Amino acid sequence: GARYDVVQREATETGFVRQHVLRGTMLNGEPFILTACLICVVEEGRITRLDKYFDPASSARLYEVTAEYNARA
């Protein structure tokens, strides 16, 4: 399984910004930690735009293992 740990959430004039850490286990059994940031625009109570940014250092191994898995499929 995986879980999100919200590190910080701040309201902005147009929506909100959220920093979080996703923790889980990859298909090969290795644990992973993915640090990310969301920038959301909210209009009339609905998210109308969502931009995600990932820390490339924390996501590199996750992408490697996923590519290896997909190459075998």
Side-chain angles (χ1 to χ4, degrees):
R3 78 170 204 259
Y4 280 96
D5 295 322
V6 176
V7 176
Q8 182 177 357
R9 184 181 302 128
E10 295 289 330
T12 66
E13 289 183 18
T14 58
F16 64 92
V17 176
R18 184 180 86 179
Q19 180 185 5
H20 66 266
V21 177
L22 174 62
R23 302 170 195 275
T25 305
M26 294 186 277
L27 296 170
N28 68 357
E30 286 181 52
F32 72 87
I33 298 173
L34 181 63
T35 305
C37 177
L38 301 177
I39 300 173
C40 296
V41 175
V42 178
E43 296 174 353
E44 297 180 12
R46 301 184 83 164
I47 295 173
T48 58
R49 178 176 177 146
L50 187 149
D51 296 313
K52 291 183 190 181
Y53 298 92
F54 297 102
D55 175 8
S58 69
S59 62
R61 182 67 183 141
L62 180 60
Y63 288 122
E64 287 173 11
V65 171
T66 303
E68 290 168 7
Y69 179 80
N70 288 337
R72 287 186 248 146

